[in-house]
Amino acid sequence: MIDRWTRGALIAIGLCAMPAPGIAQDDLDVAPDSLSLQVTTDPSMIECRRLEAVNPASLAFLPLRRTFNDDFDQHPLASGRWVPHYAGGAAWPEARYWGGDGSDFKRKTSANGEQQIYVDPRYAGRAATPLGLDPFKVKDGVLSIVASRTPPELKPVLFNNEYISGILTTQGKFAQKHGYFEIRAKLPVGHAVWPAFWMLADDGGWPPEVDVLEGRGERPGDLVMTTHWRIPSTQKIQSCGFDFAVGDASSAFHNYGVLWEEDRLIYFIDRRPVSDIKVPIGFDDPMYMIVNLAIGSKFFLGVGPVDAESPPSVAFEIDRISVYQIDMAQARR
């Protein structure tokens, strides 16, 4: 989600239907205390590949134990697990997220061409008191991050952004090195609509970045999973990822996840491995999670700028977010 397409990145993108090389031994609609994922075990010499036809001999089940879970049975800000804005750090590009609570620097990524501002009930923008805007709705155990057009009378107070929307991050609350990170969600569609579930290093640096899921709102059923890293010798950003076709992604809940092992990252749809990459250099620190609904983009294919066809309101529906750690004791048995 952070200015990834404009820094000389080397990008490998392809569209394919979701493959089915194997399936985990667990129900998809729950986050059990322990989980087994079918993973690739062949030597991780291939830098980035889509797993369309996997040799069964190269697959094995990996045991994991749950370390984080939010079923969103209550407002996300009531649990203390989430923060409704970026926190940032000195290593972030141009320290662009250092703005105070009254600014919009921690509440959008301007370089991407985003046209929303992330709000929460306590956010005041340029006003002297909180505006009471709440983009987070919870019903029947489902969190909806709702983006809606900014009321005209609030535009000057909200830095003239076209939309108000929401973001949740676990920076300063929860981070983990290695393990499996998963969201169960429905992806919204529409002109300029850009839902995402992604991860950044807890030390505030960028990259590395792991985009577990990004929806292309103008291409229903099309989603992308991408890894970003920096080449130390040149300081250039490189990226590798693939598009996947999930036809009912906007109408049905699916699980989207990434397994971060010591030597590779494996991406999953409904707990089936769909792509993997040898872990690039720089993946040294624990990572925290971000889930958000952006509106508008300059560079991300399938998400253009806001126009007359952009929906007046749209929701990113999230059933749960879960994290697991590799159970080394079980793995050795």
Side-chain angles (χ1 to χ4, degrees):
M1 288 292 294
I2 298 180
D3 195 15
R4 76 280 315 271
W5 307 111
T6 61
R7 297 177 180 267
L10 173 64
I11 303 169
I13 296 290
L15 180 64
C16 69
M18 186 181 67
I23 189 164
Q25 298 171 331
D26 307 272
D27 293 333
L28 295 175
D29 59 347
V30 298
D33 291 337
S34 59
L35 178 69
S36 294
L37 282 180
Q38 197 166 31
V39 301
T40 50
T41 61
D42 52 341
S44 57
M45 300 304 294
I46 298 175
E47 186 172 88
C48 185
R49 62 179 176 175
R50 192 169 54 205
L51 300 173
E52 295 180 284
V54 181
N55 181 355
S58 70
L59 294 173
F61 279 100
L62 182 69
L64 305 120
R65 53 180 175 80
R66 199 177 73 194
T67 55
F68 178 99
N69 185 63
D70 199 332
D71 286 313
F72 299 109
D73 293 322
Q74 61 179 338
H75 194 282
L77 301 183
S79 67
R81 295 177 174 179
W82 301 96
V83 176
H85 54 76
Y86 293 111
W92 281 45
E94 302 170 6
R96 64 167 62 103
Y97 298 102
W98 276 18
D101 288 338
S103 77
D104 70 344
F105 292 143
K106 295 200 295 185
R107 295 176 178 268
K108 67 184 296 184
T109 307
S110 299
N112 283 346
E114 295 174 15
Q115 295 174 268
Q116 87 296 322
I117 184 168
Y118 297 127
V119 298
D120 66 82
R122 299 180 61 184
Y123 183 59
R126 288 184 169 130
T129 58
L131 299 173
L133 299 170
D134 192 352
F136 308 113
K137 313 299 179 185
V138 175
K139 182 179 179 181
D140 299 329
V142 174
L143 166 67
S144 293
I145 301 179
V146 180
S148 55
R149 288 190 180 266
T150 306
E153 67 274 14
L154 292 181
K155 270 195 171 183
V157 179
L158 293 173
F159 305 91
N160 295 309
N161 287 284
E162 294 293 329
Y163 278 74
I164 55 176
S165 188
I167 188 171
L168 296 170
T169 94
T170 62
Q171 188 175 16
K173 302 289 186 176
F174 176 88
Q176 181 173 296
K177 185 174 183 178
H178 302 146
Y180 180 61
F181 303 77
E182 179 180 81
I183 186 172
R184 181 170 177 82
K186 293 180 184 178
L187 304 187
V189 298
H191 284 265
V193 175
W194 188 5
F197 175 58
W198 48 302
M199 296 155 53
L200 291 174
D202 199 44
D203 69 352
W206 179 84
E209 176 180 336
V210 175
D211 293 323
V212 184
L213 164 70
E214 294 180 280
R216 303 189 190 273
E218 295 163 17
R219 301 178 179 182
D222 182 5
L223 60 99
V224 61
M225 301 169 135
T226 314
T227 308
H228 306 270
W229 67 98
R230 186 187 303 273
I231 303 298
S233 59
T234 63
Q235 292 300 298
K236 290 184 177 180
I237 307 302
Q238 291 198 326
S239 304
C240 188
F242 300 98
D243 278 53
F244 297 96
V246 181
D248 62 349
S250 64
S251 60
F253 285 104
H254 289 276
N255 293 356
Y256 307 95
V258 66
L259 176 66
W260 177 15
E261 296 184 285
E262 185 175 351
D263 65 337
R264 79 181 71 201
L265 293 158
I266 308 173
Y267 291 85
F268 291 80
I269 298 176
D270 288 332
R271 296 182 186 156
R272 301 172 185 267
V274 295
S275 67
D276 70 357
I277 181 173
K278 183 178 180 180
V279 173
I281 192 168
F283 282 70
D284 304 315
D285 294 292
M287 302 190 86
Y288 66 93
M289 298 178 289
I290 305 168
V291 60
N292 64 285
L293 177 53
I295 301 291
S297 170
K298 294 178 182 177
F299 313 111
F300 191 63
L301 296 177
V303 178
V306 169
D307 61 19
E309 296 186 25
S310 298
S313 179
V314 64
F316 184 10
E317 295 181 68
I318 302 155
D319 182 39
R320 60 171 170 77
I321 292 175
S322 311
V323 183
Y324 290 80
Q325 185 55 275
I326 300 168
D327 191 334
M328 297 305 299
Q330 292 291 329
R332 292 190 185 101
R333 291 183 181 179

